Each structure stands twice: as structure tokens, then as C-alpha cells.
Amino acid sequence: KAGVTQTPRYLIKTRGQQVTLSCSPISGHRSVSWYQQTPGQGLQFLFEYFSETQRNKGNFPGRFSGRQFSNSRSEMNVSTLELGDSALYLCASRFTGYTDTQYFGPGTRLTVL
Amino acid sequence: AQSVAQPEDQVNVAEGNPLTVKCTYSVSGNPYLFWYVQYPNRGLQFLLKYITGDNLVKGSYGFEAEFNKSQTSFHLKKPSALVSDSALYFCAVRDKDNYGQNFVFGPGTRLSVLP
């Protein structure tokens, strides 16, 4: 079974631009979560989508948004990029149950200049 | 609120020696606990989890972890470390009794296994 895939793997943007990241979950997984990883803040939860609905949201500004499609693929959008948005963005998928393990993709490395 | 602490930023161990990476947690209910490992420029890889039952959980690559409810700990262990175990390790918790709460991750512990 293929793992979680994320595209693109690397991205360079400038301040003020917007960016869209994509995540394809493991086949059959219906929950997709997004995390931001930085050296200073560690792993921070952005949001979780399940069956095309946002089920949980972390403490990030409204510039960070996401969506999930009917095939469970998810996109994350960041508008008006700031230098502090430079990070590794990780997507994780799991089946449906509360005890189900999250499986992570390789991440998208975003650099904002 | 849920929280996870990994009290050591860095753990150094000689190859062949046993290793321990510490994790303590705080949840209002009962915990589901997870360990993940991250290699450079990679996502997190699942190692093991505790849901219920036996307090000693065995996982991938020879790792195991012991759930201790009284000490609210879930330390990761391996009897004999390999150089290839050098990586960043994350402990995560989910509150069993607060359905809908997301995973909370610890800050990570960098493990260096010296040849």
C-alpha cells in the first residue's frame, strides 16, 4: 500500500505570496491532519479534516486554511506569507478510529524569503 | 489540557548499550500514547503505541516502551543501540476520554548512538 504523499517536496516563496500544499493520504484513510514543524516551536497542529469537514483546528491565524476533497486528498493554503512561515509542513493520515495510528508523509519544506 | 514532556533534548549512548528516551505526559482522562522517529529530511515514522492492556509495548526495529500510569510516563527503550538509531524521537499523547482532541507531540529528543 502506498504511503502518504506530499507535493511539492520543496518550495521557495517570497513574503506576501500565497502557497498551496497538497497531501494524498493512504488509500482508505479518511482523516488528514496537518502540522507545522520548526526548530523553535517543534511540531504544532494546524488542522484535521475528516470526510471533507474540518474537525479540529490548532492555534494558527486565519491565513492558514485547508480543505479536503471527496477522495480524501487534502490541500493546505497559506496566504500573505511571512518569514516565520518557513517550516516543514507535515501531513498525516489515519483510518477513522480514535485509536488509529497517524502515518506521516515526507513533508513539504517551505522557505519564505 | 494535554501536554507531553521529553526532559532530555539530547541523549548520547554507545553502540551496543541499552538506550532510554524519556517521556512524561499529562491528560485529564486516560491516555493513548505513541512514539515516532524522524530521520533527517523525512517525515515521522511510527514506532509503537499504547492503547490498553499490557503495559510493555513492543514495536518496530526492536524498540519497546513501558506505560507507567502512576508516574505518567511512557519511556522508549531498546536493549542494544545501533548507530542507525540516531535520529529525532517524538512522544505523542491523545486523551482517550476527550474524543475529538488531537494528538499532542513532545518537543523531541535527539538520540546519538556513537560507534
Side-chain angles (χ1 to χ4, degrees):
Chain A
K1 199 180 261 191
V4 179
T5 58
Q6 292 186 246
T7 56
R9 291 292 311 278
Y10 301 92
L11 209 48
I12 299 175
K13 293 284 187 180
T14 55
R15 278 185 304 173
Q17 287 187 309
Q18 77 164 23
V19 67
T20 299
L21 312 181
S22 181
C23 171
S24 292
I26 291 171
S27 178
H29 285 194
R30 294 170 61 189
S31 164
V32 173
S33 295
W34 289 89
Y35 294 85
Q36 182 195 65
Q37 185 179 19
T38 59
Q41 299 296 320
L43 267 165
Q44 292 190 285
F45 169 71
L46 280 154
F47 27 66
E48 179 190 11
Y49 285 87
F50 181 85
S51 292
E52 303 178 64
T53 302
Q54 189 180 86
R55 187 157 68 173
N56 246 326
K57 190 177 189 307
N59 190 24
F60 276 81
R63 300 185 297 107
F64 292 82
S65 63
R67 60 178 175 167
Q68 187 180 33
F69 301 95
S70 58
N71 62 358
S72 293
R73 190 177 70 85
S74 177
E75 288 182 348
M76 190 194 103
N77 186 75
V78 188
S79 63
T80 320
L81 284 166
E82 300 177 0
L83 295 178
D85 296 334
S86 294
L88 181 67
Y89 289 89
L90 293 163
C91 166
S93 77
R94 61 187 178 87
F95 188 46
T96 57
Y98 199 58
T99 62
D100 290 337
T101 300
Q102 278 190 336
Y103 293 93
F104 284 80
T108 294
R109 172 76 62 187
L110 172 65
T111 302
V112 182
L113 303 176
Chain B
Q2 305 169 129
S3 66
V4 177
Q6 294 180 241
E8 299 155 319
D9 292 337
Q10 172 94 30
V11 170
N12 297 320
V13 64
E15 188 175 29
N17 283 2
L19 70 86
T20 299
V21 183
K22 295 179 181 177
C23 170
T24 58
Y25 65 89
S26 174
V27 295
S28 55
N30 292 295
Y32 294 136
L33 294 155
F34 301 77
W35 274 103
Y36 288 85
V37 60
Q38 185 178 35
Y39 297 98
N41 299 315
R42 303 278 293 274
L44 277 65
Q45 293 180 32
F46 169 70
L47 283 177
L48 51 80
K49 67 180 178 183
Y50 171 80
I51 302 299
T52 188
D54 194 349
N55 289 343
L56 184 64
V57 180
K58 293 189 184 296
S60 307
Y61 313 118
F63 284 95
E64 58 187 30
E66 186 164 12
F67 171 60
N68 187 318
K69 187 172 184 178
S70 63
Q71 297 186 2
T72 62
S73 67
F74 189 57
H75 301 331
L76 182 69
K77 300 182 180 186
K78 187 173 183 182
S80 179
L82 300 172
V83 172
S84 57
D85 292 330
S86 299
L88 189 57
Y89 289 80
F90 290 95
C91 181
V93 69
R94 199 168 201 191
D95 190 337
K96 184 186 299 187
D97 301 320
N98 282 285
Y99 190 86
Q101 289 293 320
N102 202 61
F103 292 80
V104 172
F105 285 81
T109 298
R110 188 163 300 281
L111 172 68
S112 291
V113 181
L114 310 172

